[in-house]
Amino acid sequence: MTASGAGPTLFERIAAREIPARIVAETDRVIAFHDIAPKAPVHVIVTPKRGDYRDVVELAAGDPALLAELVDVANGIADELADGDFRLIFNTGPGGGQTVFHVHAHLLAGGLEEASLAG
């Protein structure tokens, strides 16, 4: 359940297998799956299974080991699905493009250019 107790988040429901997803990696605390609207040749969501943290700032303050695990999972996915090079994006807050308030990273890979950073 979310920290606010509002019920399971979308990503918690994916982790519980209530919503189908193309899962590419999983640990006891992290799950990763292909984004349904990819913005790059490789676009994977990497997120904690539990919705205890709204964004990366809360996660870094509350459980830095979980943040490190999330980054490690992302790195392994990039090694497996791309050439090991990747971009890891955490949208934070509505003005930063966050639409699901359960911390998650977008792993992007595959021929990305520096100029593509601007939205």
Side-chain angles (χ1 to χ4, degrees):
M1 260 218 303
T2 64
S4 68
T9 67
L10 172 68
F11 298 151
E12 285 175 306
R13 294 183 65 208
I14 289 171
R17 307 306 198 268
E18 295 173 11
I19 296 175
R22 291 179 23 216
I23 296 169
V24 296
E26 186 170 12
T27 68
D28 289 343
R29 300 196 311 158
V30 174
I31 190 163
F33 49 89
H34 288 279
D35 194 292
I36 61 169
K39 306 296 185 213
V42 175
H43 186 168
V44 173
I45 301 296
V46 187
T47 186
K49 290 180 176 179
R50 292 178 41 109
D52 297 330
Y53 303 100
R54 288 175 49 90
D55 57 46
V56 70
V57 175
E58 286 186 7
L59 177 59
D63 193 342
L66 180 55
L67 176 56
E69 182 177 345
L70 191 149
V71 172
D72 185 58
V73 169
N75 187 52
I77 293 166
D79 284 343
E80 185 177 323
L81 298 182
D83 58 7
D85 295 335
F86 64 98
R87 184 176 297 162
L88 198 59
I89 300 170
F90 292 90
N91 298 333
T92 302
Q98 187 176 9
T99 57
V100 177
F101 294 92
H102 172 149
V103 63
H104 60 285
H106 295 262
L107 182 152
L108 304 175
L112 303 176
E113 301 287 329
E114 182 74 20
S116 68
L117 285 174

Short mmCIF file of all heavy atoms in Angstrom, two decimals, residues 49-119:
data_model
loop_
_atom_site.label_atom_id
_atom_site.label_comp_id
_atom_site.label_asym_id
_atom_site.label_seq_id
_atom_site.Cartn_x
_atom_site.Cartn_y
_atom_site.Cartn_z
N LYS A 49 9.04 -2.85 -5.22
CA LYS A 49 7.75 -3.54 -5.25
C LYS A 49 6.72 -2.87 -4.36
O LYS A 49 5.53 -2.91 -4.63
CB LYS A 49 7.92 -5.00 -4.84
CG LYS A 49 8.67 -5.83 -5.86
CD LYS A 49 8.81 -7.26 -5.39
CE LYS A 49 9.47 -8.12 -6.43
NZ LYS A 49 9.61 -9.51 -5.97
N ARG A 50 7.19 -2.25 -3.29
CA ARG A 50 6.28 -1.57 -2.34
C ARG A 50 6.26 -0.07 -2.63
O ARG A 50 7.27 0.51 -3.00
CB ARG A 50 6.73 -1.82 -0.91
CG ARG A 50 6.57 -3.27 -0.48
CD ARG A 50 7.07 -3.50 0.93
NE ARG A 50 6.71 -2.42 1.83
CZ ARG A 50 5.81 -2.51 2.81
NH1 ARG A 50 5.21 -3.65 3.03
NH2 ARG A 50 5.55 -1.48 3.58
N GLY A 51 5.13 0.54 -2.41
CA GLY A 51 4.96 1.97 -2.68
C GLY A 51 5.20 2.85 -1.47
O GLY A 51 4.46 3.81 -1.26
N ASP A 52 6.22 2.54 -0.68
CA ASP A 52 6.48 3.30 0.54
C ASP A 52 7.02 4.70 0.28
O ASP A 52 6.94 5.56 1.16
CB ASP A 52 7.49 2.55 1.42
CG ASP A 52 6.96 1.20 1.89
OD1 ASP A 52 5.73 1.06 2.05
OD2 ASP A 52 7.78 0.29 2.09
N TYR A 53 7.60 4.93 -0.90
CA TYR A 53 8.23 6.22 -1.21
C TYR A 53 7.63 6.78 -2.49
O TYR A 53 7.54 6.10 -3.50
CB TYR A 53 9.75 6.03 -1.37
CG TYR A 53 10.37 5.43 -0.14
CD1 TYR A 53 10.68 4.07 -0.09
CD2 TYR A 53 10.61 6.20 0.98
CE1 TYR A 53 11.24 3.51 1.04
CE2 TYR A 53 11.17 5.64 2.14
CZ TYR A 53 11.48 4.30 2.16
OH TYR A 53 12.01 3.75 3.29
N ARG A 54 7.26 8.05 -2.43
CA ARG A 54 6.66 8.72 -3.59
C ARG A 54 7.66 9.01 -4.69
O ARG A 54 7.33 8.95 -5.87
CB ARG A 54 6.01 10.04 -3.18
CG ARG A 54 4.75 9.89 -2.38
CD ARG A 54 4.22 11.23 -1.89
NE ARG A 54 4.12 12.26 -2.92
CZ ARG A 54 3.05 12.48 -3.68
NH1 ARG A 54 1.98 11.73 -3.53
NH2 ARG A 54 3.05 13.42 -4.59
N ASP A 55 8.88 9.39 -4.32
CA ASP A 55 9.85 9.81 -5.32
C ASP A 55 11.26 9.45 -4.87
O ASP A 55 11.47 8.96 -3.77
CB ASP A 55 9.71 11.31 -5.62
CG ASP A 55 9.86 12.18 -4.40
OD1 ASP A 55 10.81 11.95 -3.61
OD2 ASP A 55 9.05 13.10 -4.22
N VAL A 56 12.24 9.73 -5.72
CA VAL A 56 13.62 9.34 -5.45
C VAL A 56 14.20 10.09 -4.26
O VAL A 56 15.06 9.56 -3.54
CB VAL A 56 14.50 9.48 -6.71
CG1 VAL A 56 14.71 10.94 -7.08
CG2 VAL A 56 15.82 8.75 -6.54
N VAL A 57 13.74 11.30 -4.00
CA VAL A 57 14.24 12.06 -2.85
C VAL A 57 13.83 11.35 -1.55
O VAL A 57 14.66 11.16 -0.66
CB VAL A 57 13.73 13.51 -2.89
CG1 VAL A 57 14.15 14.27 -1.64
CG2 VAL A 57 14.23 14.22 -4.15
N GLU A 58 12.57 10.93 -1.46
CA GLU A 58 12.11 10.19 -0.29
C GLU A 58 12.85 8.86 -0.16
O GLU A 58 13.22 8.46 0.94
CB GLU A 58 10.60 9.94 -0.35
CG GLU A 58 9.75 11.16 -0.09
CD GLU A 58 8.27 10.82 -0.02
OE1 GLU A 58 7.90 9.61 -0.05
OE2 GLU A 58 7.47 11.76 0.06
N LEU A 59 13.06 8.18 -1.27
CA LEU A 59 13.75 6.89 -1.23
C LEU A 59 15.18 7.06 -0.77
O LEU A 59 15.66 6.30 0.08
CB LEU A 59 13.70 6.22 -2.61
CG LEU A 59 14.45 4.89 -2.73
CD1 LEU A 59 13.92 3.85 -1.75
CD2 LEU A 59 14.38 4.37 -4.16
N ALA A 60 15.89 8.04 -1.29
CA ALA A 60 17.29 8.26 -0.91
C ALA A 60 17.42 8.56 0.58
O ALA A 60 18.35 8.08 1.24
CB ALA A 60 17.89 9.39 -1.73
N ALA A 61 16.47 9.31 1.12
CA ALA A 61 16.50 9.65 2.54
C ALA A 61 16.06 8.47 3.41
O ALA A 61 16.61 8.25 4.49
CB ALA A 61 15.60 10.86 2.81
N GLY A 62 15.09 7.70 2.94
CA GLY A 62 14.49 6.65 3.75
C GLY A 62 15.14 5.29 3.65
O GLY A 62 15.13 4.52 4.62
N ASP A 63 15.70 4.95 2.49
CA ASP A 63 16.28 3.62 2.31
C ASP A 63 17.34 3.66 1.21
O ASP A 63 17.11 3.19 0.09
CB ASP A 63 15.17 2.61 1.97
CG ASP A 63 15.63 1.16 2.08
OD1 ASP A 63 16.86 0.90 2.09
OD2 ASP A 63 14.76 0.28 2.14
N PRO A 64 18.50 4.24 1.51
CA PRO A 64 19.54 4.34 0.47
C PRO A 64 19.97 2.99 -0.08
O PRO A 64 20.36 2.89 -1.25
CB PRO A 64 20.69 5.07 1.16
CG PRO A 64 20.33 5.23 2.58
CD PRO A 64 18.89 4.87 2.76
N ALA A 65 19.89 1.93 0.72
CA ALA A 65 20.27 0.60 0.23
C ALA A 65 19.30 0.13 -0.86
O ALA A 65 19.71 -0.50 -1.84
CB ALA A 65 20.32 -0.40 1.37
N LEU A 66 18.03 0.45 -0.71
CA LEU A 66 17.05 0.09 -1.74
C LEU A 66 17.30 0.88 -3.02
O LEU A 66 17.19 0.34 -4.12
CB LEU A 66 15.62 0.31 -1.22
CG LEU A 66 14.49 -0.01 -2.18
CD1 LEU A 66 14.57 -1.44 -2.71
CD2 LEU A 66 13.14 0.24 -1.50
N LEU A 67 17.66 2.15 -2.88
CA LEU A 67 18.01 2.95 -4.06
C LEU A 67 19.22 2.33 -4.77
O LEU A 67 19.22 2.20 -6.00
CB LEU A 67 18.28 4.40 -3.66
CG LEU A 67 18.75 5.33 -4.78
CD1 LEU A 67 17.76 5.35 -5.95
CD2 LEU A 67 18.96 6.74 -4.23
N ALA A 68 20.22 1.93 -4.02
CA ALA A 68 21.39 1.29 -4.62
C ALA A 68 21.02 -0.01 -5.32
O ALA A 68 21.52 -0.31 -6.41
CB ALA A 68 22.46 1.05 -3.55
N GLU A 69 20.12 -0.78 -4.73
CA GLU A 69 19.66 -2.02 -5.36
C GLU A 69 18.93 -1.73 -6.66
O GLU A 69 19.13 -2.42 -7.66
CB GLU A 69 18.75 -2.78 -4.39
CG GLU A 69 18.27 -4.11 -4.93
CD GLU A 69 17.41 -4.89 -3.95
OE1 GLU A 69 17.40 -4.58 -2.74
OE2 GLU A 69 16.74 -5.84 -4.41
N LEU A 70 18.10 -0.71 -6.67
CA LEU A 70 17.37 -0.32 -7.87
C LEU A 70 18.36 0.03 -8.99
O LEU A 70 18.20 -0.41 -10.13
CB LEU A 70 16.46 0.86 -7.54
CG LEU A 70 15.43 1.26 -8.57
CD1 LEU A 70 14.21 1.83 -7.88
CD2 LEU A 70 15.99 2.28 -9.52
N VAL A 71 19.39 0.81 -8.67
CA VAL A 71 20.40 1.18 -9.67
C VAL A 71 21.16 -0.06 -10.15
O VAL A 71 21.44 -0.20 -11.35
CB VAL A 71 21.35 2.26 -9.11
CG1 VAL A 71 22.51 2.52 -10.06
CG2 VAL A 71 20.58 3.56 -8.84
N ASP A 72 21.47 -0.97 -9.25
CA ASP A 72 22.17 -2.19 -9.62
C ASP A 72 21.32 -3.04 -10.57
O ASP A 72 21.83 -3.59 -11.56
CB ASP A 72 22.53 -2.99 -8.36
CG ASP A 72 23.37 -4.20 -8.68
OD1 ASP A 72 24.46 -4.05 -9.28
OD2 ASP A 72 22.94 -5.33 -8.34
N VAL A 73 20.03 -3.14 -10.29
CA VAL A 73 19.13 -3.88 -11.19
C VAL A 73 19.11 -3.21 -12.57
O VAL A 73 19.19 -3.88 -13.60
CB VAL A 73 17.71 -3.99 -10.58
CG1 VAL A 73 16.70 -4.50 -11.62
CG2 VAL A 73 17.72 -4.91 -9.36
N ALA A 74 19.01 -1.89 -12.59
CA ALA A 74 19.02 -1.16 -13.86
C ALA A 74 20.30 -1.43 -14.64
O ALA A 74 20.26 -1.66 -15.86
CB ALA A 74 18.86 0.34 -13.61
N ASN A 75 21.42 -1.43 -13.98
CA ASN A 75 22.70 -1.69 -14.63
C ASN A 75 22.73 -3.09 -15.24
O ASN A 75 23.18 -3.28 -16.37
CB ASN A 75 23.84 -1.53 -13.62
CG ASN A 75 25.19 -1.62 -14.26
OD1 ASN A 75 25.47 -0.94 -15.23
ND2 ASN A 75 26.03 -2.47 -13.70
N GLY A 76 22.21 -4.08 -14.52
CA GLY A 76 22.16 -5.44 -15.05
C GLY A 76 21.26 -5.55 -16.28
O GLY A 76 21.59 -6.26 -17.23
N ILE A 77 20.15 -4.83 -16.26
CA ILE A 77 19.24 -4.85 -17.41
C ILE A 77 19.93 -4.22 -18.62
O ILE A 77 19.83 -4.74 -19.74
CB ILE A 77 17.93 -4.10 -17.08
CG1 ILE A 77 17.15 -4.87 -16.01
CG2 ILE A 77 17.09 -3.89 -18.33
CD1 ILE A 77 16.04 -4.06 -15.38
N ALA A 78 20.63 -3.11 -18.40
CA ALA A 78 21.34 -2.46 -19.50
C ALA A 78 22.41 -3.39 -20.08
O ALA A 78 22.59 -3.43 -21.31
CB ALA A 78 21.96 -1.15 -19.04
N ASP A 79 23.09 -4.13 -19.23
CA ASP A 79 24.07 -5.09 -19.73
C ASP A 79 23.41 -6.16 -20.58
O ASP A 79 23.95 -6.59 -21.59
CB ASP A 79 24.80 -5.77 -18.56
CG ASP A 79 25.85 -4.88 -17.93
OD1 ASP A 79 26.27 -3.87 -18.54
OD2 ASP A 79 26.26 -5.20 -16.79
N GLU A 80 22.22 -6.59 -20.17
CA GLU A 80 21.52 -7.67 -20.86
C GLU A 80 20.80 -7.21 -22.13
O GLU A 80 20.83 -7.90 -23.16
CB GLU A 80 20.50 -8.29 -19.90
CG GLU A 80 19.80 -9.51 -20.46
CD GLU A 80 18.85 -10.14 -19.45
OE1 GLU A 80 19.17 -10.16 -18.25
OE2 GLU A 80 17.78 -10.61 -19.89
N LEU A 81 20.14 -6.06 -22.08
CA LEU A 81 19.28 -5.63 -23.20
C LEU A 81 19.91 -4.60 -24.12
O LEU A 81 19.38 -4.34 -25.20
CB LEU A 81 17.96 -5.07 -22.66
CG LEU A 81 17.08 -6.02 -21.85
CD1 LEU A 81 15.79 -5.31 -21.44
CD2 LEU A 81 16.78 -7.29 -22.63
N ALA A 82 21.00 -3.99 -23.69
CA ALA A 82 21.65 -2.95 -24.50
C ALA A 82 23.16 -3.21 -24.45
O ALA A 82 23.61 -4.30 -24.11
CB ALA A 82 21.28 -1.58 -23.95
N ASP A 83 23.94 -2.23 -24.72
CA ASP A 83 25.38 -2.39 -24.74
C ASP A 83 26.03 -2.02 -23.41
O ASP A 83 27.23 -1.86 -23.33
CB ASP A 83 25.98 -1.54 -25.86
CG ASP A 83 25.63 -0.07 -25.72
OD1 ASP A 83 25.03 0.33 -24.69
OD2 ASP A 83 25.96 0.71 -26.64
N GLY A 84 25.22 -1.89 -22.39
CA GLY A 84 25.72 -1.51 -21.07
C GLY A 84 25.61 -0.02 -20.80
O GLY A 84 25.68 0.41 -19.66
N ASP A 85 25.45 0.78 -21.86
CA ASP A 85 25.26 2.22 -21.70
C ASP A 85 23.77 2.49 -21.53
O ASP A 85 22.94 1.90 -22.22
CB ASP A 85 25.77 2.98 -22.93
CG ASP A 85 27.27 2.84 -23.12
OD1 ASP A 85 27.97 2.59 -22.13
OD2 ASP A 85 27.72 2.98 -24.27
N PHE A 86 23.44 3.41 -20.64
CA PHE A 86 22.03 3.68 -20.40
C PHE A 86 21.84 5.03 -19.75
O PHE A 86 22.77 5.63 -19.24
CB PHE A 86 21.39 2.58 -19.54
CG PHE A 86 21.94 2.48 -18.13
CD1 PHE A 86 21.27 3.08 -17.07
CD2 PHE A 86 23.10 1.77 -17.87
CE1 PHE A 86 21.76 2.97 -15.77
CE2 PHE A 86 23.59 1.65 -16.58
CZ PHE A 86 22.92 2.26 -15.53
N ARG A 87 20.62 5.49 -19.78
CA ARG A 87 20.18 6.70 -19.09
C ARG A 87 19.16 6.25 -18.04
O ARG A 87 18.27 5.46 -18.34
CB ARG A 87 19.54 7.65 -20.09
CG ARG A 87 19.14 8.99 -19.51
CD ARG A 87 18.60 9.90 -20.60
NE ARG A 87 19.66 10.17 -21.56
CZ ARG A 87 19.44 10.64 -22.79
NH1 ARG A 87 18.22 10.87 -23.21
NH2 ARG A 87 20.46 10.87 -23.60
N LEU A 88 19.29 6.77 -16.83
CA LEU A 88 18.36 6.44 -15.76
C LEU A 88 17.71 7.73 -15.30
O LEU A 88 18.38 8.64 -14.82
CB LEU A 88 19.12 5.77 -14.60
CG LEU A 88 18.31 5.00 -13.58
CD1 LEU A 88 17.52 3.87 -14.23
CD2 LEU A 88 19.21 4.45 -12.49
N ILE A 89 16.39 7.82 -15.45
CA ILE A 89 15.65 9.05 -15.18
C ILE A 89 14.64 8.80 -14.07
O ILE A 89 13.85 7.86 -14.14
CB ILE A 89 14.92 9.54 -16.44
CG1 ILE A 89 15.91 9.82 -17.56
CG2 ILE A 89 14.06 10.77 -16.13
CD1 ILE A 89 15.28 10.09 -18.90
N PHE A 90 14.66 9.68 -13.08
CA PHE A 90 13.65 9.70 -12.02
C PHE A 90 12.87 11.00 -12.16
O PHE A 90 13.43 12.07 -11.90
CB PHE A 90 14.30 9.67 -10.62
CG PHE A 90 14.99 8.40 -10.27
CD1 PHE A 90 16.33 8.21 -10.57
CD2 PHE A 90 14.31 7.40 -9.59
CE1 PHE A 90 16.98 7.04 -10.21
CE2 PHE A 90 14.96 6.22 -9.23
CZ PHE A 90 16.30 6.05 -9.54
N ASN A 91 11.63 10.94 -12.56
CA ASN A 91 10.78 12.13 -12.57
C ASN A 91 10.29 12.36 -11.14
O ASN A 91 9.84 11.42 -10.48
CB ASN A 91 9.58 11.94 -13.51
CG ASN A 91 10.01 11.72 -14.95
OD1 ASN A 91 11.06 12.17 -15.37
ND2 ASN A 91 9.19 11.01 -15.70
N THR A 92 10.38 13.59 -10.68
CA THR A 92 10.01 13.90 -9.30
C THR A 92 9.02 15.06 -9.28
O THR A 92 9.36 16.18 -9.66
CB THR A 92 11.26 14.26 -8.47
OG1 THR A 92 12.16 13.14 -8.52
CG2 THR A 92 10.90 14.54 -7.02
N GLY A 93 7.78 14.76 -8.90
CA GLY A 93 6.73 15.77 -8.83
C GLY A 93 6.06 16.00 -10.17
O GLY A 93 6.63 15.70 -11.22
N PRO A 94 4.85 16.53 -10.14
CA PRO A 94 4.11 16.77 -11.38
C PRO A 94 4.85 17.67 -12.37
O PRO A 94 4.85 17.42 -13.57
CB PRO A 94 2.81 17.43 -10.92
CG PRO A 94 2.67 17.07 -9.48
CD PRO A 94 4.07 16.89 -8.95
N GLY A 95 5.53 18.70 -11.86
CA GLY A 95 6.28 19.59 -12.74
C GLY A 95 7.50 18.93 -13.35
O GLY A 95 8.03 19.39 -14.35
N GLY A 96 7.95 17.83 -12.76
CA GLY A 96 9.07 17.06 -13.28
C GLY A 96 8.63 15.90 -14.14
O GLY A 96 9.44 15.08 -14.55
N GLY A 97 7.32 15.82 -14.42
CA GLY A 97 6.79 14.77 -15.29
C GLY A 97 6.34 13.51 -14.59
O GLY A 97 5.97 12.54 -15.25
N GLN A 98 6.34 13.48 -13.25
CA GLN A 98 5.92 12.27 -12.54
C GLN A 98 4.40 12.16 -12.58
O GLN A 98 3.69 13.10 -12.23
CB GLN A 98 6.41 12.31 -11.08
CG GLN A 98 6.14 11.03 -10.34
CD GLN A 98 6.72 11.03 -8.92
OE1 GLN A 98 7.17 12.05 -8.41
NE2 GLN A 98 6.70 9.87 -8.29
N THR A 99 3.91 11.00 -13.01
CA THR A 99 2.47 10.76 -13.07
C THR A 99 2.03 9.61 -12.17
O THR A 99 0.86 9.52 -11.82
CB THR A 99 2.01 10.46 -14.52
OG1 THR A 99 2.73 9.34 -15.01
CG2 THR A 99 2.23 11.67 -15.43
N VAL A 100 2.97 8.73 -11.81
CA VAL A 100 2.69 7.65 -10.86
C VAL A 100 3.52 7.95 -9.62
O VAL A 100 4.75 7.99 -9.69
CB VAL A 100 3.06 6.26 -11.44
CG1 VAL A 100 2.82 5.17 -10.40
CG2 VAL A 100 2.26 5.98 -12.71
N PHE A 101 2.87 8.17 -8.48
CA PHE A 101 3.57 8.63 -7.29
C PHE A 101 3.99 7.45 -6.40
O PHE A 101 3.61 7.33 -5.25
CB PHE A 101 2.73 9.68 -6.57
CG PHE A 101 2.63 10.91 -7.44
CD1 PHE A 101 1.57 11.07 -8.32
CD2 PHE A 101 3.64 11.85 -7.43
CE1 PHE A 101 1.52 12.16 -9.16
CE2 PHE A 101 3.59 12.95 -8.27
CZ PHE A 101 2.53 13.11 -9.14
N HIS A 102 4.77 6.61 -7.03
CA HIS A 102 5.45 5.45 -6.44
C HIS A 102 6.82 5.51 -7.12
O HIS A 102 6.90 5.39 -8.35
CB HIS A 102 4.68 4.19 -6.83
CG HIS A 102 5.32 2.89 -6.47
ND1 HIS A 102 4.57 1.79 -6.16
CD2 HIS A 102 6.61 2.48 -6.41
CE1 HIS A 102 5.37 0.76 -5.92
NE2 HIS A 102 6.63 1.16 -6.07
N VAL A 103 7.87 5.75 -6.34
CA VAL A 103 9.18 5.99 -6.94
C VAL A 103 9.51 4.94 -8.00
O VAL A 103 9.29 3.74 -7.81
CB VAL A 103 10.30 6.06 -5.86
CG1 VAL A 103 10.46 4.76 -5.11
CG2 VAL A 103 11.61 6.49 -6.49
N HIS A 104 10.02 5.42 -9.13
CA HIS A 104 10.43 4.53 -10.20
C HIS A 104 11.42 5.24 -11.10
O HIS A 104 11.42 6.46 -11.18
CB HIS A 104 9.22 4.04 -11.02
CG HIS A 104 8.44 5.14 -11.67
ND1 HIS A 104 7.58 5.95 -10.95
CD2 HIS A 104 8.39 5.56 -12.96
CE1 HIS A 104 7.03 6.83 -11.79
NE2 HIS A 104 7.51 6.61 -13.01
N ALA A 105 12.24 4.46 -11.74
CA ALA A 105 13.22 4.99 -12.70
C ALA A 105 12.85 4.50 -14.08
O ALA A 105 12.36 3.38 -14.26
CB ALA A 105 14.62 4.52 -12.33
N HIS A 106 13.11 5.35 -15.05
CA HIS A 106 12.99 4.97 -16.46
C HIS A 106 14.40 4.67 -16.94
O HIS A 106 15.26 5.55 -16.96
CB HIS A 106 12.40 6.12 -17.29
CG HIS A 106 11.01 6.46 -16.93
ND1 HIS A 106 9.92 5.99 -17.63
CD2 HIS A 106 10.51 7.24 -15.94
CE1 HIS A 106 8.81 6.46 -17.09
NE2 HIS A 106 9.14 7.22 -16.06
N LEU A 107 14.64 3.43 -17.32
CA LEU A 107 15.91 3.04 -17.92
C LEU A 107 15.74 3.15 -19.42
O LEU A 107 14.88 2.49 -20.00
CB LEU A 107 16.26 1.61 -17.52
CG LEU A 107 17.59 1.06 -18.04
CD1 LEU A 107 18.11 0.00 -17.10
CD2 LEU A 107 17.52 0.55 -19.44
N LEU A 108 16.51 4.02 -20.04
CA LEU A 108 16.46 4.22 -21.49
C LEU A 108 17.82 3.84 -22.08
O LEU A 108 18.86 4.16 -21.50
CB LEU A 108 16.17 5.68 -21.83
CG LEU A 108 14.90 6.28 -21.22
CD1 LEU A 108 14.81 7.76 -21.54
CD2 LEU A 108 13.66 5.55 -21.71
N ALA A 109 17.80 3.18 -23.21
CA ALA A 109 19.05 2.79 -23.87
C ALA A 109 18.79 2.58 -25.36
O ALA A 109 17.64 2.42 -25.78
CB ALA A 109 19.61 1.51 -23.25
N GLY A 110 19.88 2.59 -26.10
CA GLY A 110 19.78 2.30 -27.52
C GLY A 110 19.89 3.53 -28.40
O GLY A 110 18.88 4.08 -28.81
N GLY A 111 21.09 3.98 -28.66
CA GLY A 111 21.32 5.08 -29.59
C GLY A 111 20.83 6.44 -29.11
O GLY A 111 20.40 7.25 -29.91
N LEU A 112 20.91 6.70 -27.84
CA LEU A 112 20.47 7.99 -27.30
C LEU A 112 21.54 9.05 -27.56
O LEU A 112 22.73 8.78 -27.51
CB LEU A 112 20.21 7.87 -25.81
CG LEU A 112 19.20 6.81 -25.38
CD1 LEU A 112 19.12 6.74 -23.86
CD2 LEU A 112 17.84 7.09 -25.97
N GLU A 113 21.09 10.26 -27.79
CA GLU A 113 21.97 11.40 -28.00
C GLU A 113 21.87 12.34 -26.81
O GLU A 113 20.81 12.47 -26.21
CB GLU A 113 21.57 12.15 -29.28
CG GLU A 113 21.62 11.31 -30.54
CD GLU A 113 23.03 11.03 -31.00
OE1 GLU A 113 23.91 11.88 -30.77
OE2 GLU A 113 23.25 9.96 -31.58
N GLU A 114 22.94 13.05 -26.50
CA GLU A 114 22.93 14.04 -25.42
C GLU A 114 21.86 15.10 -25.67
O GLU A 114 21.19 15.54 -24.75
CB GLU A 114 24.30 14.70 -25.30
CG GLU A 114 24.41 15.72 -24.19
CD GLU A 114 24.48 15.09 -22.80
OE1 GLU A 114 24.80 13.92 -22.67
OE2 GLU A 114 24.21 15.82 -21.83
N ALA A 115 21.65 15.47 -26.92
CA ALA A 115 20.66 16.49 -27.26
C ALA A 115 19.24 16.07 -26.94
O ALA A 115 18.34 16.90 -26.89
CB ALA A 115 20.78 16.85 -28.74
N SER A 116 19.01 14.78 -26.72
CA SER A 116 17.66 14.30 -26.46
C SER A 116 17.27 14.44 -25.00
O SER A 116 16.21 13.95 -24.59
CB SER A 116 17.51 12.84 -26.90
OG SER A 116 18.28 11.99 -26.09
N LEU A 117 18.07 15.10 -24.17
CA LEU A 117 17.75 15.25 -22.76
C LEU A 117 16.56 16.16 -22.51
O LEU A 117 15.80 15.96 -21.58
CB LEU A 117 18.96 15.78 -21.99
CG LEU A 117 20.07 14.77 -21.75
CD1 LEU A 117 21.27 15.47 -21.10
CD2 LEU A 117 19.60 13.64 -20.87
N ALA A 118 16.38 17.19 -23.32
CA ALA A 118 15.27 18.12 -23.11
C ALA A 118 13.96 17.48 -23.53
O ALA A 118 13.90 16.72 -24.48
CB ALA A 118 15.49 19.41 -23.91
N GLY A 119 12.90 17.77 -22.74
CA GLY A 119 11.60 17.18 -23.03
C GLY A 119 10.86 17.99 -23.98
O GLY A 119 9.92 17.78 -24.59
#
